[in-house]
Amino acid sequence: MIDTVEVKEAILTDNGIEGAKVRKSMEEKGIYLLNLMGSPGAGKTSVLVKTIEALKGEMNIGVMEADVDSTVDAETVEKAGARAIQLHTGGACHLDAAMTREGLDRFDLDGLDLVIVENVGNLVCPAEFDIGAEKRAIVFSVPEGDDKPLKYPLMFEKADIILVNKMDTISYFDFDMERFKSNVNKRNDRNIPVIPISAINGEGLDEFFSFLWEGLSSLRRK
């Protein structure tokens, strides 16, 4: 008889242990680590650029860009004024804690206040893996539809904040913000912020910046 091992459970357990180590290490350095997730095309990089441009005079920001290939996003955020490194996942659809640690070990963390990890574009796999971040943010977009919290529950269960991007296009889509919030609440009972934004005109982003400042302040009070 062939033995069967539930590999996924073991992998997730080991990853959780490694994630806790990453989180402790970053807390000891006083650096706030944010896991930024969302679908391809939701506007994660555009939100990052606006964030860097708005805060770079007040907060030292580093960005780790995770993609299957290319350096396009890392080059974009570096031009905006952030320290950047590109992580290639070798075909994997997510980062895990070991990948994140490897990236952080090769990144110049000196003097940084905030490191944002732009995870691989995906509404499924990234939500399963703790990468050691203090918080998890989702950049969602109006064209994706207000029913997605029902279809991809884990992503929305894990989120600490949701930025609903591309509000400047809402008149072109059948998207109901109140219905979206109701669907989020069916998956997440922590009353998390759901913020309508536009990475084009900057609408709503001040609330996201406040979230980052509050997170950094709370981390440094620990």
Side-chain angles (χ1 to χ4, degrees):
M1 184 175 180
I2 297 173
D3 288 337
T4 302
V5 179
E6 297 297 334
V7 177
K8 182 177 178 181
E9 181 176 351
I11 289 171
L12 290 176
T13 299
D14 290 345
N15 183 78
I17 294 169
E18 184 67 18
K21 291 178 181 177
V22 171
R23 189 157 32 253
K24 183 178 180 182
S25 174
M26 295 297 279
E27 288 175 355
E28 288 172 348
K29 291 179 173 68
I31 301 173
Y32 186 75
L33 183 64
L34 180 75
N35 184 3
L36 188 68
M37 302 180 289
S39 299
K44 297 185 297 297
T45 307
S46 297
V47 169
L48 276 176
V49 168
K50 286 290 188 184
T51 301
I52 293 161
E53 290 174 346
L55 299 181
K56 63 185 176 183
E58 309 167 54
M59 185 186 292
N60 293 320
I61 302 172
V63 176
M64 298 206 306
E65 289 285 351
D67 287 296
V68 173
D69 206 346
S70 92
T71 59
V72 173
D73 289 345
E75 292 169 6
T76 298
V77 298
E78 193 169 65
K79 287 177 184 176
R83 204 177 300 172
I85 188 172
Q86 184 75 53
L87 305 180
H88 286 162
T89 64
C93 59
H94 63 276
L95 283 180
D96 61 24
M99 294 175 188
T100 304
R101 178 180 287 282
E102 184 177 354
L104 290 169
D105 286 346
R106 297 178 61 183
F107 200 43
D108 180 9
L109 297 173
D110 289 346
L112 289 180
D113 302 301
L114 168 69
V115 174
I116 300 177
V117 179
E118 182 179 344
N119 217 317
V120 181
N122 193 316
L123 279 181
V124 182
C125 305
E128 293 189 59
F129 290 84
D130 177 9
I131 66 167
E134 284 290 322
K135 298 291 182 181
R136 302 183 189 192
I138 298 175
V139 176
F140 190 75
S141 65
V142 165
E144 294 177 78
D146 52 36
D147 60 345
K148 292 304 177 291
L150 304 180
K151 295 183 176 183
Y152 302 96
L154 188 62
M155 177 66 70
F156 295 90
E157 288 171 11
K158 296 288 187 180
D160 296 296
I161 184 171
I162 301 172
L163 309 178
V164 184
N165 192 25
K166 305 187 182 180
M167 287 299 295
D168 49 293
T169 71
I170 196 167
S171 61
Y172 299 98
F173 295 94
D174 180 21
F175 185 93
D176 186 303
M177 181 60 72
E178 292 309 311
R179 186 163 59 220
F180 177 76
K181 289 180 179 179
S182 174
N183 288 337
V184 168
N185 290 336
K186 290 174 184 176
R187 300 305 190 189
N188 190 319
D189 60 4
R190 290 180 285 122
N191 194 31
I192 63 171
V194 178
I195 307 171
I197 69 162
S198 168
I200 295 294
N201 61 33
E203 174 191 347
L205 284 171
D206 283 347
E207 193 171 344
F208 177 51
F209 303 156
S210 295
F211 174 85
L212 295 176
W213 277 116
E214 289 166 10
L216 179 59
S217 298
S218 177
L219 172 69
R220 292 183 171 173
R221 287 195 299 267
K222 287 185 178 180

